[in-house]
Amino acid sequence: MAPLPLVSPPLENSNFNLDIFSVAGFFGGDEVLESMSTIHLTDGRKWRGWYNSPGAYTVAKSVGRIANSQFWRGLFPGSCQDPASSFGLDGKKGPEYMAVLSGTKMTSGYMGYLLAQHVKHYPEVTNLFDGESRTTKNTGVTIIDIQDVRHLPHLSSQSSTFHLLLSYFTMISSIACAIFCLILFDDKFCFTAILLGTIIGGISTLIIGMGTLTLQTVFQPAPGSPPGDGVLVGEEFIVLRGKEGHVNAITKGKFHLKLKGAPKYHIIGICSVLYFLQFIVQLFLIPQGHLIGQIMFLSSFAISWIYNGAIASIDKEAKQAKLLKKSVTMDIKKYTLPNRTRAVVFTCLSLRRSLEEIEQSPVYSDFNPESLLKSMLPNDTRVWHKWRSVVKDILLRNQDPQYFDDALDDEDMADLREDQRNLLSTLLKDAKCAYKMYHNISDYTDPRTKSLTEK
């Protein structure tokens, strides 16, 4: 004779049967995936996955594409995904990058994207406005001197106390719901479903969380490579100065996630099969349980969903930006100028070296401000061509600022219309103001250009 339950199951005689077929494997899958993407960014997260999580079907399909073999491609159709891209830790493109000495033009990777997002909200800003400012759209110029790049074996940060306590509460809740189903209500079906989801979630999180997240870049460029000074061109300008290998960390760097079982990742495929098993078993077991057991099952789902949502709300890119700063030692100074024309001249000046360095080292003769100016201000009219020519002469020949005013008297400007002459005069005035501003902030500029600021 079967033992009687300690508590008579409530609603035992009810004809109503809670139908959760449509939510058992599909509900909350996106939140679970977003939560899983933070496992490698936070210390200890791999140990805190022991709870009955929803979205097993969605997780199985997404994670399964990491496994790289014909067998797993058959089970999980779709293109094979890199682990870092699969968890949203890499893959976005950054601003266009142009090196002023090597002439390299390329689209920066995820590190460039993170850096651009970070400096966009950088708190320490110096506003370079004066009484002569022609204000159109404020444009930021961030000067970054990259001093060192460290190859850290693993990148992660501490978890907040709130998320730590919430994870413990979630795990205890799933275990408690399973125990209530078995001991209080004698519902073995719902007990098995909750316990199976808890075990599979814990094992999979632990296996996936054993991966290591590192910064992957070209640390050793080709011998004889010039300094990597250049600019990331977007809505704002980000000047990068430093050795080629150091600048590569921003322009070519990426987060690399190495999971267990590389490169085939068979064990990740097994984890995906376990999630499918969870989905199928729960699909058949839950309708067989009591109504109160089904409520316990949904309660564990609801608490897990709240936890996954809280983890998914973490600003993952902000965490990654902090990890980037751990690996790359940078000195950051940001300025805001009243219009893009001044910002362009200010950017070019910050990339230029002193004349003494240019004369002493042949590599500086490759400095091509004209190409840089065209990239940042590509306007293709005669006025802009003349403006770029004047600014180029200033940058290369160290002309006196009076050269900006004298440029309008050149013979090839004689046939300009009045409106064109007025526009050119305005643009040259902007360039002259930017030139003066740059040379008035010697305390903030690169020490390598000190000889210019002392003139």
Side-chain angles (χ1 to χ4, degrees):
M1 182 176 179
L4 295 175
L6 295 180
V7 179
S8 180
L11 307 176
E12 184 179 32
N13 299 319
S14 173
N15 294 325
F16 176 78
N17 190 4
L18 187 61
D19 182 9
I20 59 169
F21 277 86
S22 60
V23 300
F26 301 100
F27 172 75
D30 293 336
E31 289 81 2
V32 176
L33 289 173
E34 194 66 24
S35 173
M36 291 179 71
S37 69
T38 66
I39 292 176
H40 307 95
L41 298 175
T42 309
D43 291 334
R45 274 276 287 116
K46 64 182 178 182
W47 304 105
R48 301 196 289 271
W50 301 92
Y51 55 88
N52 184 32
S53 181
Y57 179 78
T58 304
V59 175
K61 286 179 57 179
S62 179
V63 175
R65 295 193 182 101
I66 297 176
N68 185 20
S69 72
Q70 289 185 347
F71 173 76
W72 297 116
R73 292 282 66 72
L75 289 181
F76 308 106
S79 59
C80 181
Q81 295 183 351
D82 173 77
S85 299
S86 179
F87 289 111
L89 301 175
D90 203 277
K92 293 182 179 179
K93 299 297 183 182
E96 292 293 321
Y97 168 74
M98 180 173 182
V100 296
L101 296 178
S102 65
T104 300
K105 293 183 179 180
M106 58 179 288
T107 301
S108 62
Y110 195 63
M111 298 300 106
Y113 167 79
L114 285 178
L115 186 63
Q117 294 301 310
H118 173 67
V119 302
K120 185 182 295 184
H121 307 289
Y122 193 70
E124 300 175 15
V125 181
T126 302
N127 292 318
L128 299 180
F129 293 80
D130 57 21
E132 302 177 9
S133 296
R134 179 180 64 90
T135 303
T136 54
K137 180 181 179 182
N138 293 352
T139 304
V141 178
T142 305
I143 301 176
I144 300 178
D145 291 299
I146 304 177
Q147 300 161 353
D148 189 25
V149 177
R150 295 175 292 171
H151 180 67
L152 300 179
H154 181 66
L155 295 171
S156 63
S157 60
Q158 295 292 326
S159 177
S160 69
T161 303
F162 170 74
H163 291 124
L164 185 63
L165 294 176
L166 186 59
S167 66
Y168 290 141
F169 175 76
T170 303
M171 292 186 288
I172 292 173
S173 297
S174 290
I175 296 173
C177 288
I179 293 174
F180 290 161
C181 286
L182 180 64
I183 297 180
L184 295 182
F185 312 126
D186 192 30
D187 191 335
K188 296 182 178 64
F189 294 107
C190 292
F191 163 77
T192 303
I194 297 174
L195 185 63
L196 181 67
T198 301
I199 293 174
I200 290 176
I203 292 175
S204 300
T205 301
L206 182 60
I207 291 174
I208 293 173
M210 286 182 178
T212 55
L213 183 67
T214 57
L215 173 62
Q216 190 177 70
T217 182
V218 182
F219 285 98
Q220 296 295 333
S225 297
D229 295 24
V231 58
L232 294 171
V233 181
E235 291 185 6
E236 299 184 352
F237 302 122
I238 303 175
V239 175
L240 302 177
R241 303 190 298 203
K243 297 178 181 178
E244 178 76 8
H246 292 170
V247 175
N248 283 344
I250 303 299
T251 58
K252 301 179 181 179
K254 58 183 292 187
F255 280 122
H256 176 67
L257 178 59
K258 184 177 180 180
L259 301 179
K260 292 293 182 181
K264 296 296 184 180
Y265 297 116
H266 293 304
I267 193 168
I268 304 300
I270 293 174
C271 290
S272 299
V273 172
L274 290 177
Y275 275 116
F276 263 128
L277 177 65
Q278 173 187 344
F279 165 70
I280 294 172
V281 170
Q282 291 178 344
L283 197 67
F284 286 98
L285 285 182
I286 297 304
Q288 310 305 317
H290 301 300
L291 178 59
I292 186 62
Q294 295 171 345
I295 292 176
M296 289 291 100
F297 178 80
L298 282 184
S299 297
S300 68
F301 260 18
I303 296 172
S304 299
W305 177 78
I306 293 173
Y307 172 67
N308 288 327
I311 297 298
S313 66
I314 295 175
D315 191 342
K316 186 169 59 179
E317 291 180 357
K319 272 185 169 289
Q320 289 179 286
K322 291 181 180 179
L323 297 179
L324 173 62
K325 292 176 69 176
K326 281 185 178 181
S327 296
V328 183
T329 305
M330 299 178 284
D331 178 35
I332 302 177
K333 298 181 180 68
K334 183 173 181 179
Y335 307 91
T336 299
L337 292 98
N339 58 64
R340 194 171 181 87
T341 307
R342 292 194 188 187
V344 167
V345 176
F346 191 90
T347 299
C348 291
L349 286 167
S350 66
L351 284 165
R352 178 193 156 182
R353 309 295 178 128
S354 68
L355 291 178
E356 289 80 4
E357 288 180 311
I358 295 175
E359 293 170 356
Q360 292 172 8
S361 177
V363 71
Y364 292 101
S365 63
D366 296 330
F367 178 58
N368 185 3
E370 184 174 10
S371 179
L372 183 62
L373 289 167
K374 284 183 178 179
S375 296
M376 294 190 290
L377 282 176
N379 308 58
D380 190 16
T381 65
R382 186 178 177 188
V383 171
W384 283 102
H385 282 297
K386 178 60 180 176
W387 181 85
R388 284 194 291 264
S389 175
V390 174
V391 175
K392 180 186 69 172
D393 288 342
I394 288 286
L395 293 171
L396 288 180
R397 302 175 186 175
N398 196 30
Q399 298 279 7
D400 187 271
Q402 183 62 34
Y403 184 71
F404 288 110
D405 301 324
D406 298 338
L408 281 173
D409 298 328
D410 288 353
E411 294 182 359
D412 59 342
M413 294 293 105
D415 60 340
L416 284 178
R417 300 191 308 268
E418 185 64 24
D419 60 321
Q420 291 176 322
R421 292 182 64 85
N422 290 336
L423 175 59
L424 181 57
S425 176
T426 301
L427 297 177
L428 290 175
K429 183 178 180 181
D430 283 332
K432 183 178 180 180
C433 290
Y435 183 91
K436 290 180 177 179
M437 286 178 178
Y438 181 80
H439 289 84
N440 286 335
I441 57 169
S442 58
D443 291 339
Y444 298 96
T445 55
D446 183 0
R448 296 170 297 186
T449 62
K450 190 174 182 182
S451 59
L452 280 176
T453 62
E454 291 177 344
K455 287 188 68 69

